[in-house]
Every structure is written in structure tokens, then in C-alpha cells.
Amino acid sequence: MDVVGDLKRKKSEIGTEIEAPRSKIAVLEEQKGAFAVVIGTYDPGFS
């Protein structure tokens, strides 16, 4: 049993799991910004 190897593998798996939501959040933030631009175009008072 290679404990250190298992820990490194698990650490890598966790990193992969963390990256997926981060990528999704980045996409959603871009979409949110785009919506704000469009809304601001039609409603200049929008903040």
C-alpha cells in the first residue's frame, strides 16, 4: 500500500472536482456581465 501515492491521487481528484464549478462560475459571471450590458442599453438607469 502506497499511502503517499494514494494521497497524491486523492489530492489531484479533489483539484479536478474543484475546477469544474470554478469554470462554470466563470462562464456564468461572463453571461451575467453580458446581460448587464444589454439591460443597461435598454434601461440607462439600471445599476
Side-chain angles (χ1 to χ4, degrees):
M1 177 181 262
D2 181 17
V3 174
V4 174
D6 289 343
L7 292 173
K8 287 179 181 178
R9 180 185 51 76
K10 185 62 179 176
K11 181 181 178 291
S12 177
E13 289 173 1
I14 290 170
T16 301
E17 285 186 50
I18 289 171
E19 191 54 39
R22 281 185 181 158
S23 295
K24 180 67 175 179
I25 289 168
V27 168
L28 291 172
E29 288 288 350
E30 288 179 20
Q31 289 177 355
K32 181 180 170 185
F35 277 106
V37 169
V38 173
I39 292 168
T41 300
Y42 291 97
D43 182 4
F46 175 75
S47 58

